[in-house]
Amino acid sequence: MVAAGEESVPTSLLSRVRWDVVRWAAISVYLVALAIFCVTRGVPMDRAGLTLWIVTGLSAVCIGKGWRAWGRMMLDWLPFQGVLLLYDYSYGAASYFSGGFIDGFPIQGAINRIGMPLHVTFPIRVDEWLFGGHLPSQWVQQHLSGAVNQAPWWSIFITLCYCSHFMVSPIVAAVLWIRSRERFRAWAALLVALAVAGIATYFVFPMSPPWLASQQGYISGTPVYRLSGQGWSWLDFHGAAQVLGDAQDRSNPVAAMPSLHLATATLVIGFFWFSVRRWVRPFLLLYPALMSFTLIYSGEHYVTDEIAGLLYAVVLLAAWRVLRRRPLHLPGWLGGAGVLSSWRATDREALLDPADRPVDVVQHG
């Protein structure tokens, strides 16, 4: 007998499974496997690898919540990652140049596919003007000459900060998907908008980074070295160093403007700025501050393109804040506000709650 108001629960084998135990066991196995992979093979920094690891982790989180929860995760995550994967391919397309080359890299005045010239000396002149004739990357490396010649213990923090760029944004997206689907979609939209703005700038204003300009002889005096992977040497993580080197070899070497490393770091702290306590906010600023120093010390970016990356992030965050107060509405012939409202998902779908049911459950809070 079933009392009034109660639902009948099938008395099958599945009904006796402790899905919360199965889920947490699967999550634990996943975390151990990910840790082993990162130690032995290095942090996954390619888009396809990251997507596979994240989708696998979120699938573990969905265990016991039914196929609808898993299907919603796939519908939410894969289109978002698909757009970023297209960005990666476009990122590579922006690296094709015709004209002069040194050691396989384009030089000042080389022309890209849309006829835009490569800029090499422009950021050097701007940074020297901003800092009284000194080039920040060169100055920092000169004053840390011992660190340049031999990796110090603190270089691991430089390398970890640099590599965090590849991990922070997808980790934030995964956590938001679990905790707040609406904020996940806002974060995904910001990342896609930043990627589109970045790739457009790479086509319109291609620019060499300090390490490449120095390697080609455009920076006089002490050479500027590429030190972003230096910390792996101190840890003796040769596999991780190889992964980072391969990722850098596949990337566009003349995509310095804007600095998406600093733009993404700014986007992260700006996204959470108004949702944390006031005393926490100064600590949030440490991440973009460390990223800014990392990019200058490692020879990856000029202050000029760091400023551009900061502005890109601030503009996107400001636009997001405005649209939160005045949401966009589609024209009536496209379905109007009803279509937009149908995109909203229930907030805080409690995927980690212990109360599972043996049926296709999607909880609503």
Side-chain angles (χ1 to χ4, degrees):
M1 297 293 292
V2 179
E6 295 184 359
E7 298 181 12
S8 176
V9 178
T11 58
S12 63
L13 176 63
L14 291 178
S15 67
R16 295 191 294 271
V17 173
R18 287 289 306 275
W19 288 111
D20 56 328
V21 175
V22 174
R23 179 169 57 253
W24 282 110
I27 293 173
S28 299
V29 171
Y30 166 80
L31 292 175
V32 170
L34 178 59
I36 293 174
F37 182 90
C38 291
V39 171
T40 58
R41 301 288 299 277
V43 178
M45 288 180 286
D46 61 295
R47 188 76 60 187
L50 275 171
T51 301
L52 179 61
W53 276 106
I54 290 173
V55 168
T56 301
L58 292 179
S59 296
V61 170
C62 290
I63 290 176
K65 294 299 179 179
W67 288 106
R68 283 191 299 165
W70 183 83
R72 185 184 301 187
M73 181 273 292
M74 298 294 284
L75 288 174
D76 279 339
W77 194 266
L78 292 186
F80 159 55
Q81 286 296 299
V83 171
L84 294 182
L85 189 61
L86 288 176
Y87 157 77
D88 286 347
Y89 281 109
S90 300
Y91 185 81
S95 64
Y96 290 99
F97 283 80
S98 60
F101 291 85
I102 296 179
D103 296 329
F105 296 109
I107 62 175
Q108 174 89 10
I111 305 298
N112 67 8
R113 284 183 167 181
I114 66 171
M116 303 305 293
L118 175 65
H119 300 273
V120 180
T121 58
F122 166 77
I124 298 173
R125 304 293 172 258
V126 174
D127 268 28
E128 288 178 340
W129 176 76
L130 289 173
F131 294 92
H134 298 287
L135 193 63
S137 289
Q138 188 179 49
W139 186 90
V140 170
Q141 290 192 6
Q142 281 178 339
H143 286 74
L144 295 173
S145 57
V148 172
N149 296 328
Q150 185 176 2
W153 65 268
W154 48 263
S155 64
I156 183 57
F157 296 103
I158 297 295
T159 297
L160 288 177
C161 181
Y162 179 81
C163 292
S164 71
H165 166 76
F166 305 100
M167 299 295 295
V168 167
S169 57
I171 289 175
V172 169
V175 172
L176 287 175
W177 186 85
I178 295 173
R179 294 183 58 83
S180 173
R181 215 59 50 78
E182 187 173 351
R183 285 173 66 81
F184 162 80
R185 287 194 168 92
W187 177 246
L190 285 171
L191 285 182
V192 169
L194 181 60
V196 171
I199 195 62
T201 309
Y202 297 155
F203 274 105
V204 175
F205 199 87
M207 196 177 82
S208 292
W211 67 266
L212 181 55
S214 177
Q215 180 177 309
Q216 294 179 337
Y218 291 100
I219 296 176
S220 59
T222 306
V224 176
Y225 299 99
R226 192 176 201 180
L227 303 176
S228 48
Q230 189 186 47
W232 296 135
S233 300
W234 190 85
L235 287 176
D236 201 27
F237 281 179
H238 299 294
Q242 183 63 44
V243 170
L244 177 59
D246 291 344
Q248 290 176 333
D249 290 340
R250 292 193 303 267
S251 66
N252 181 359
V254 290
M257 172 66 77
S259 169
L260 288 193
H261 272 72
L262 186 58
T264 304
T266 305
L267 208 63
V268 170
I269 65 106
F271 188 81
F272 294 103
W273 186 262
F274 295 99
S275 60
V276 300
R277 298 181 182 274
R278 291 183 181 274
W279 66 267
V280 177
R281 294 177 182 176
F283 295 97
L284 292 180
L285 294 175
L286 292 176
Y287 181 47
L290 179 57
M291 181 65 76
S292 179
F293 175 78
T294 292
L295 299 174
I296 294 299
Y297 165 76
S298 62
E300 295 285 354
H301 282 284
Y302 298 96
V303 172
T304 301
D305 39 270
E306 286 192 340
I307 294 173
L310 180 66
L311 291 176
Y312 275 46
V314 169
V315 169
L316 286 176
L317 288 167
W320 169 57
R321 297 289 296 179
V322 170
L323 292 177
R324 286 185 64 190
R325 298 186 182 94
R326 298 181 180 181
L328 294 175
H329 295 284
L330 293 177
W333 59 277
L334 288 177
V339 173
L340 291 177
S341 62
S342 68
W343 294 349
R344 294 176 177 271
T346 303
D347 206 16
R348 290 188 180 277
E349 185 176 13
L351 292 174
L352 297 181
D353 276 2
D356 294 89
R357 295 173 63 84
V359 291
D360 191 22
V361 175
V362 178
Q363 297 181 3
H364 299 282

